[in-house]
Each structure stands twice: as structure tokens, then as C-alpha cells.
Amino acid sequence: MGISFWNYISGDMAIDLGTANTLIYLKGQDIVIDEPSIVARNSRTGQIIAVGNDAKEMLGKTHQDIEVIRPLKDGVIANFEVTEGMLQGFIKKVKISRIARPRMVIGVPTGITEVEKRAVKDSAERANAREVFLIGEPVAAAIGIGLEIDKPVGNMIVDIGGGTTEIAVIALDGIVTHESVRIGGDEMDEAIVQYFKREHNLLIGERTAENIKCEIGSATAVEEVTMAVKGRNLIAGIPKTIEVTSSEIREALRDTVDAIVQSVTESLEKTPPELSSDILDRGIILTGGGALLKGLDQRLRDETQLPVNVAENPLLTVAYGTGKVLENIDKYMSVLT
């Protein structure tokens, strides 16, 4: 798709600044960046060498002069300087004018503090933004799905990202109740790493753990499958391959899945009765990468006795929601901060 001259000059963009992935929607176009929130830099000079996919390729394979960093943790900025450099790196990948001072709409967790909000805005402004708006990720996800959030009807969104799980009941352009727990895909990966250390004396990397989660991870009993996993034996110190089953990985993920389910039930307990009846009719919608964990929707159905549906494109809903807001800021001004 061609880019208009005005969009080339303005470069207005919506950003889903996630712990695991950053997505950028360019005004008048579509999602133009969908890459891991990872930076590789020279540890001696601080110079950024690569961002996104290029940096992820280096993960676990660098020498002492290169460090690979994930500058966001639990949905918020953990390293201000590196986040700023990462944003600048991604913006360079977007084909906009060098003189552009874009307006930015950025999705953030609802549970972050004012200080953390300020850090996000400062990073965007230092990446040459002329104006920065923030929107809660569950609200952005609801807009991205196409829900009419301005109506007096309750919608429940569970957005499971890399660092946080956001649970919100939304009505009349606002969040009525919300739970923000710092558990997500990263904690699932770490749980798998620790399980292999504890049960198999095998050290695996986070990329391997993520692959295992995606391939055979599940929240409920599913068809039993196995997978060959390569790692380093902690006793002999040499590479080793073992076979693991989906039931083993389900056991490894049990605590993190239980925590997510518990947070959803707690949020339902806080929901006003009139909105609860809406949720009974409309169900719970799952978004974010964690929504793709096999059987999670069924587990939540079993626990809540409510309809549970996974959004059509769960990885993209926040990005598309922030994009819709960017395209019509005046309409959505009441949900921005």
C-alpha cells in the first residue's frame, strides 16, 4: 500500500509497547512493525547494534562485548535509555520522513503507576514524538475487537501479554473493575526453564522454553504429544536431548495458569451485578499471546461456567485498537490519558 505525502511527513503512529513484542500501526496504513521488544548493544560503548528480530537472532549467542536486553519487564519500562533506543530503532524501520514529529498513541497496562506512565511518555518524546497519548491495553483490545465500549453494556476482556495479564470489565468508555497481575508469557517460559532444571537436570534457554510452550504447552488435558528438547546437562556439562510430554509441560505451567484463572474469578467477584448479567450473555474475550495457550479458554469455561472466546487475532488486537484510536482521536479522547 502506498503512503500519502502527509502521512510520510507526519508519521503519526500507534504503538503496542509490549514486554514480548512491539507493534507499530502507521496512520493511513496498517501494522508496519511486529517484532520482539529486544535490543542488542555493545556492552563497552552502549551503542545499539540491533533491535527486534535482528536482536532476537543474537539471544544466547553473543560474546562478552555484546549484551542482548529486554528493556521492558512486567509491561513497564525497566531500562529507560535502552527503551528509548529501541523505539528510535523501530521508528527508523518505518518509512517516514526524517523530519517527522509524529503523534503517538501507546497502549500500556492499566495497573502502571504515574511514574511509569511518565517514563513511557518521556521515552516517546525523546524518540521525537510531538504529542503522546496513553490508552489502557484492555480498552485498546476491546476497540480492536470491535466492541462498542461507549454503550451501557459490560464487556470483559482478559489480555494475557508477555509480562502482565490485564483483566477488565469495560462499560460507558471506562473501566469498571480491573485486575492487573504481573504474570504472563514470560513467567510461563521461566516456569518451563525451572521445571527442566528441577526434573531433568537440563539447562535450556528462554527461546527453547517459548518454543516448547507454543508447541506442546496446554492449560487442560489435551491429546498427548511428545517433543525432543535439546539443552545442557547440568551434571555432565555436555549437550543432551530428551523427550518430554505435553502432560509434563502442563504440570510446569500449572502455577502460572492457576494464578491467571484466580485473577479472573476475583475480577468477576468485584463486578457489579447488572454488568455480571451482561457478561453471562456476552462471555469473556481472551486476547494477547497467552490466549493462544492450548486449552486455556476451556479451563476458564470450566472454572467460571461462562462463555469464553479467543479473539480472532489475539496478538494484534491492542495494536489495531490503538490504531483505530489514532485514526479518530477526537472520538476516543475520553479513554486517553
Side-chain angles (χ1 to χ4, degrees):
M1 182 187 294
I3 181 169
S4 72
F5 178 74
W6 170 247
N7 286 334
Y8 174 76
I9 293 297
S10 70
D12 289 353
M13 62 185 68
I15 302 175
D16 174 9
L17 189 62
T19 305
N21 292 284
T22 294
L23 292 85
I24 298 180
Y25 175 103
L26 194 61
K27 187 173 183 180
Q29 291 199 77
D30 204 326
I31 294 172
V32 293
I33 293 288
D34 180 1
E35 299 193 21
S37 302
I38 299 178
V39 176
R41 71 172 181 177
N42 187 302
S43 56
R44 290 184 294 104
T45 66
Q47 179 186 2
I48 290 178
I49 299 167
V51 301
N53 289 326
D54 297 333
K56 186 173 183 178
E57 288 299 315
M58 302 179 189
L59 193 62
K61 300 179 179 180
T62 59
H63 53 75
Q64 63 180 7
D65 289 340
I66 297 177
E67 56 182 349
V68 179
I69 303 168
R70 298 182 65 177
L72 291 107
K73 183 174 175 58
D74 298 333
V76 297
I77 293 174
N79 189 316
F80 183 90
E81 181 183 352
V82 176
T83 300
E84 181 186 323
M86 183 182 75
L87 276 175
Q88 290 173 345
F90 283 137
I91 290 168
K92 283 179 184 176
K93 293 187 179 188
V94 180
K95 304 302 182 185
I96 61 173
S97 168
R98 290 185 180 182
I99 64 171
R101 295 204 62 215
R103 171 186 278 180
M104 295 185 188
V105 178
I106 303 177
V108 295
T110 52
I112 67 172
T113 65
E114 290 302 317
V115 172
E116 289 165 339
K117 287 181 183 179
R118 186 70 256 167
V120 174
K121 287 190 173 183
D122 286 347
S123 287
E125 286 165 359
R126 289 171 67 91
N128 215 32
R130 78 176 187 276
E131 197 172 12
V132 183
F133 299 98
L134 304 182
I135 181 170
E137 287 170 352
V139 177
I143 294 169
I145 292 164
L147 300 178
E148 295 180 322
I149 64 169
D150 58 333
K151 306 297 184 186
V153 177
N155 295 287
M156 188 171 200
I157 303 291
V158 179
D159 179 28
I160 308 166
T164 59
T165 294
E166 300 279 313
I167 305 154
V169 176
I170 301 166
L172 294 170
D173 281 338
I175 294 176
V176 181
T177 65
H178 85 272
E179 292 279 331
S180 182
V181 291
R182 298 198 170 182
I183 294 174
D186 288 351
E187 281 69 24
M188 293 182 190
D189 297 343
E190 180 60 23
I192 292 171
V193 170
Q194 295 303 321
Y195 180 85
F196 274 84
K197 282 184 183 178
R198 186 173 65 251
E199 300 296 328
H200 296 289
N201 288 317
L202 195 75
L203 182 63
I204 62 172
E206 60 180 75
R207 286 182 66 182
T208 299
E210 183 181 14
N211 288 337
I212 294 167
K213 176 185 69 180
C214 295
E215 290 291 327
I216 64 172
S218 63
T220 56
V222 295
E223 182 182 355
E224 191 76 3
V225 292
T226 61
M227 180 179 180
V229 177
K230 298 175 182 177
R232 190 179 81 232
N233 186 284
L234 288 170
I235 298 172
I238 58 175
K240 184 180 179 181
T241 301
I242 65 169
E243 290 277 336
V244 294
T245 65
S246 52
S247 60
E248 285 186 87
I249 305 308
R250 185 164 58 254
E251 175 63 24
L253 295 173
R254 186 174 48 131
D255 287 348
T256 50
V257 170
D258 285 351
I260 292 170
V261 171
Q262 179 66 26
S263 297
V264 172
T265 56
E266 288 175 0
S267 187
L268 285 167
E269 289 169 4
K270 296 177 183 177
T271 303
E274 293 296 335
L275 295 180
S276 292
S277 64
D278 292 335
I279 296 167
L280 184 62
D281 294 334
R282 300 164 73 90
I284 299 168
I285 301 175
L286 305 184
T287 71
L292 296 172
L293 181 68
K294 297 179 187 71
L296 182 58
D297 54 344
Q298 185 59 51
R299 172 72 189 278
L300 284 167
R301 282 189 209 105
D302 294 340
E303 295 285 345
T304 64
Q305 300 300 304
L306 294 171
V308 179
N309 299 295
V310 179
E312 186 176 348
N313 293 303
L315 289 166
L316 307 180
T317 51
V318 172
Y320 276 127
T322 54
K324 285 182 181 180
V325 171
L326 177 71
E327 299 284 2
N328 197 347
I329 280 186
D330 291 340
K331 176 181 176 181
Y332 292 107
M333 191 59 73
S334 63
V335 301
L336 296 172
T337 59

